[in-house]
Amino acid sequence: MKKTTISALLLSALLTAIGTEAPAQTKPDTWTAQDALGRKIGTTDQYGKPRKNKVVGMFFVIWHGVHGYDRPASNPDNAVMVPTAADSLSPYDNQKIIDANPQNPQYGAEHAMHHWGEPYLGYYVANDEWVIRKHAQMLSDAGVDMIMFDVTNQAIYLPVVKQICDVYTKMRKEGNKTPQISFIFNTNAKETLENLFDSFYGKNLYKELWFRWKGKPLIFCPPEGITPDMAGFFTVRHSWFCSAWDWFGDGHDKCPWADIYPQKYGWHDRPDKPEMIAVSPATHPIVTNDMKQVGRSYHDGAQPDKEHWRSGEGLCFREQFERAMEVDPEFIYFSGWNEWTAMRFVNPGGIHKVGEYDCKKGDSYFVDLFNHEFSRDIEPLRGDFGDNYYYQLCDFIRRYKGVEPTPVYSAYQTIDLGDMQAWNKVKAEFADDKGDVFHRNHYGYGSVGQYVNNTGRNDILTAKVANDGKTLYFYVRTAAPVTPFSDPKWMRLFLDVKGSESGNWEGFQYRINNDVTDNKTSLEKSLNGWNWQKIADLDYRVAGNELVVAVPAQAIGIANANDFAIDFKWIDNAVEEGDIQECLSDGDAAPNGRFRYRYQFKK
């Protein structure tokens, strides 16, 4: 290890404030949402006010594309490998392989990485900046404070780490939020930590991104990896699987990266003061003499048979989170966000089952991830249960942390549609992330070719609402002049009048701006689902990068304009045929994904 002065670096780390720029005041914990199962994310009435000293961490994987594609391969600097023409078979998607031939699944090469499913953002590699940005946004919106890079297999993936840190630094300079970063170690922990220290921490790289716990940068590392110098520089917690195993002991300075219900907590100051606990959607797909299967449907102490799987409901996830709330520690560690792949191994004996299949000697097996049921990622999936786990995560974190109170507005304001200056006095203001119309042009995993997404168009920055007792005025401002209304899927506004029993699409009863002329736009009501009927023409104006539309309160079923609540959402260049998940990937939505702003008025 290079002779770096640990004490000087420690002092520098302690004196460095987290973050370089004030983030945009998007206040995502005030947003509402409805997931695909109709589960609601609400406001303070549902979650209570913010609770102090509650922190959320997330297991985060950075190996995608580093270890080869069709066949296992190595790269001296642990950088992402560019696929070649020889990579014509991967990605190997186990769920698709099983669906194609359930009786005899045709997996890929031994030791090659296999996906358990297709990420909603595609079979990406770890150095795709578009994906890095999307991840940072989704995690920040959910309330995740830090991500913990997986370096448990000795490789530190330094080129990927640096790129993620570069992107996070850029995003913060743009005024956006990102999580902090940390690392989890296991194999050859001492050498791996020294390597990372010499090339990263010891050089003070990206120190504004380091996650600090109890005054020092946090790492998860086994005791054999920690020298006195490292103990002086880092806050160290030992992490491995399952608090029921011997390594956990009495839990002092421990935190499992994943656990089986009912999870035990780790402690630092005293045994009756919970510090950390793990929460996972599932754990492992295999059965051995000392390990049982825990899939997404696991609950009440049992893994159900395949015909009783309920993979999309998050039963195991909910059970583990409820246990965490009983314990109420300082720190909840979720595992995990984006592992997606596992190596294919051949059973030497000792593996009895993998997923729904009996596993004999010579059969294929996967230790950590297998298919949609036996996987533990929270990042949205393409198809099947989609983004259910992401919004379940958002709900859990809001329950754990509490949320900021939703403002209630009471002042009438009449707006002249031609007077954009009048909006300077409107207080009902809602922010969106800047720069999230970033375009994608990057190679994907194995044979998938180039991923290109140029749908980002109008970068929405601010939305406002005013009310004069008869008419609601909706305002939106973009980073550059608004594109022509003739553009497809142009600047549509969706409204959910709280208490309405009308037909709806994803909870929204009304759509505006689907049919636009020079001076009139359309108001449509949902006939349930993505089936709309025009009910009125509305006045609107565009001036440069500002757009205003006037909506009569009675036209959207508001009987009492003195006392009502409405959720609203702007969507530009996304949602062609009613798939709201497109708001994660296409165009721009304010707010992001399925989220909505809540405007509450009481005179």
Side-chain angles (χ1 to χ4, degrees):
M1 180 178 145
K2 297 177 183 176
K3 302 298 183 183
T4 309
T5 304
I6 300 292
S7 59
L9 289 172
L10 177 57
L11 178 62
S12 172
L14 294 175
L15 293 176
T16 301
I18 295 176
T20 58
E21 297 285 339
Q25 296 300 307
T26 53
K27 299 180 181 178
D29 66 341
T30 66
W31 300 344
T32 64
Q34 174 181 305
D35 76 3
L37 298 179
R39 298 178 297 194
K40 303 236 179 352
I41 294 173
T43 60
T44 318
D45 292 340
Q46 184 175 349
Y47 299 111
K49 294 180 180 179
R51 305 169 71 211
K52 294 182 179 179
N53 303 317
K54 298 299 180 184
V55 178
V56 170
M58 179 69 73
F59 182 78
F60 194 93
V61 173
I62 51 176
W63 68 7
H64 305 299
V66 176
H67 298 297
Y69 299 102
D70 281 18
R71 296 187 176 279
S74 60
N75 208 342
D77 62 355
N78 294 311
V80 173
M81 303 175 74
V82 179
T84 69
D87 295 306
S88 60
L89 302 174
S90 59
Y92 304 117
D93 185 320
N94 281 352
Q95 188 63 60
K96 293 178 181 178
I97 290 170
I98 292 168
D99 290 345
N101 190 351
Q103 302 306 316
N104 186 23
Q106 298 298 299
Y107 303 114
E110 184 177 0
H111 297 154
M113 293 292 190
H114 286 55
H115 284 72
W116 64 262
E118 181 179 359
Y120 188 77
L121 301 181
Y123 299 103
Y124 57 78
V125 292
N127 63 347
D128 186 336
E129 181 173 348
W130 186 85
V131 173
I132 294 170
R133 284 175 171 267
K134 293 291 184 183
H135 285 172
Q137 184 180 73
M138 282 190 277
L139 290 164
S140 296
D141 289 348
V144 173
D145 299 292
M146 62 88 79
I147 56 174
M148 186 164 276
F149 294 140
D150 175 19
V151 295
T152 56
N153 295 310
Q154 190 171 352
I156 64 171
Y157 309 108
L158 189 62
V160 178
V161 169
K162 286 182 175 180
Q163 180 166 12
I164 292 174
C165 289
D166 282 337
V167 174
Y168 280 16
T169 300
K170 285 192 289 186
M171 291 181 70
R172 291 183 176 204
K173 288 180 178 178
E174 294 163 1
N176 297 312
K177 297 177 183 177
T178 77
Q180 301 297 113
I181 66 163
S182 184
F183 297 83
I184 177 172
F185 300 81
N186 186 58
T187 303
N188 292 329
K190 183 174 181 293
E191 294 82 357
T192 308
L193 178 54
E194 288 179 350
N195 183 14
L196 183 71
F197 188 88
D198 289 344
S199 56
F200 189 79
Y201 284 104
K203 292 183 176 180
N204 272 332
L205 296 181
Y206 310 101
K207 59 186 179 182
E208 69 279 1
L209 297 177
W210 301 353
F211 176 76
R212 294 169 175 81
W213 186 250
K214 312 298 183 185
K216 297 184 289 185
L218 174 70
I219 57 170
F220 281 4
C221 187
E224 61 269 22
I226 304 301
T227 64
D229 279 349
M230 294 297 108
F233 186 83
F234 293 104
T235 295
V236 181
R237 298 292 180 262
H238 185 195
S239 181
W240 199 234
F241 177 65
C242 195
S243 61
W245 292 6
D246 291 343
W247 73 273
F248 189 77
D250 67 355
H252 183 232
D253 285 347
K254 306 287 174 55
C255 180
W257 62 263
D259 209 347
I260 295 175
Y261 178 87
Q263 316 96 279
K264 298 177 185 176
Y265 63 82
W267 58 276
H268 175 65
D269 295 321
R270 60 178 196 262
D272 63 342
K273 184 181 178 182
E275 183 189 43
M276 297 182 175
I277 199 167
V279 173
S280 300
T283 60
H284 292 86
I286 59 173
V287 176
T288 68
N289 290 338
D290 60 358
M291 181 178 288
K292 63 179 180 179
Q293 290 179 322
V294 176
R296 295 181 185 263
S297 303
Y298 182 98
H299 66 289
D300 294 336
Q303 173 62 38
D305 294 335
K306 183 175 181 179
E307 57 268 26
H308 297 110
W309 287 355
R310 294 155 63 187
S311 304
E313 296 179 35
L315 301 179
C316 177
F317 200 21
R318 183 178 64 203
E319 189 174 62
Q320 292 213 357
F321 177 73
E322 296 294 351
R323 166 61 179 162
M325 289 297 285
E326 291 173 5
V327 171
D328 196 22
E330 299 173 73
F331 186 111
I332 293 182
Y333 186 61
F334 288 97
S335 181
W337 179 248
N338 65 329
E339 193 167 1
W340 287 112
T341 58
M343 280 188 180
R344 175 188 164 235
F345 294 105
V346 174
N347 187 7
I351 309 297
H352 308 312
K353 195 171 184 180
V354 57
E356 61 267 45
Y357 296 96
D358 292 332
C359 191
K360 301 183 294 296
K361 186 175 181 179
D363 288 346
S364 298
Y365 75 97
F366 302 84
V367 174
D368 292 297
L369 311 163
F370 183 53
N371 58 11
H372 289 189
E373 168 65 18
F374 292 100
S375 51
R376 51 181 179 245
D377 290 327
I378 297 168
E379 183 187 355
L381 169 73
R382 185 167 294 277
D384 200 357
F385 47 77
D387 53 11
N388 288 1
Y389 281 84
Y390 174 65
Y391 291 97
Q392 193 174 24
L393 172 74
C394 296
D395 173 58
F396 290 167
I397 294 176
R398 283 154 176 73
R399 287 176 59 189
Y400 175 60
K401 288 187 172 185
V403 300
E404 290 291 337
T406 302
V408 179
Y409 300 98
S410 59
Y412 282 148
Q413 292 169 294
T414 300
I415 299 293
D416 180 341
L417 293 191
D419 181 13
M420 295 300 180
Q421 295 300 314
W423 287 97
N424 293 335
K425 298 179 181 180
V426 174
K427 294 183 178 180
E429 182 173 353
F430 308 84
D432 187 47
D433 297 288
K434 181 179 180 180
D436 56 353
V437 292
F438 189 83
H439 287 182
R440 183 184 197 181
N441 190 352
H442 200 282
Y443 56 86
Y445 197 98
S447 67
V448 300
Q450 201 79 357
Y451 280 118
V452 177
N453 188 319
N454 297 326
T455 59
R457 187 171 63 191
N458 290 300
D459 188 3
I460 301 168
L461 303 181
T462 302
K464 293 186 177 185
V465 184
N467 171 31
D468 66 7
K470 294 182 179 180
T471 302
L472 274 67
Y473 304 90
F474 291 89
Y475 165 98
V476 66
R477 178 170 59 86
T478 56
V482 179
T483 62
F485 67 79
S486 55
D487 283 349
K489 296 172 284 186
W490 180 79
M491 296 299 291
R492 290 181 290 186
L493 174 63
F494 294 84
L495 306 178
D496 171 13
V497 179
K498 306 316 294 180
S500 172
E501 299 297 328
S502 299
N504 71 87
W505 166 76
E506 299 290 350
F508 296 104
Q509 299 93 26
Y510 300 97
R511 179 175 72 174
I512 296 169
N513 282 351
N514 195 61
D515 183 13
V516 193
T517 65
D518 285 332
N519 55 13
K520 291 290 183 179
T521 189
S522 59
L523 171 65
E524 300 168 307
K525 68 176 183 180
S526 172
L527 302 179
N528 279 321
W530 195 252
N531 182 19
W532 302 90
Q533 179 184 69
K534 184 175 178 179
I535 58 174
D537 288 318
L538 305 177
D539 293 323
Y540 84 103
R541 296 289 185 274
V542 175
N545 66 336
E546 297 172 293
L547 164 63
V548 182
V549 61
V551 184
Q554 287 187 340
I556 55 174
I558 296 177
N560 182 2
N562 293 324
D563 187 359
F564 68 95
I566 189 168
D567 286 353
F568 70 99
K569 182 178 190 64
W570 289 93
I571 303 176
D572 182 63
N573 208 21
V575 189
E576 179 72 33
E577 296 293 339
D579 181 5
I580 197 171
Q581 280 197 95
E582 291 177 17
C583 292
L584 285 177
S585 57
D586 292 356
D588 194 17
N592 306 318
R594 291 180 184 264
F595 287 113
R596 310 103 170 273
Y597 299 124
R598 169 70 55 87
Y599 174 73
Q600 193 161 338
F601 187 90
K602 187 175 181 65
K603 190 67 177 171

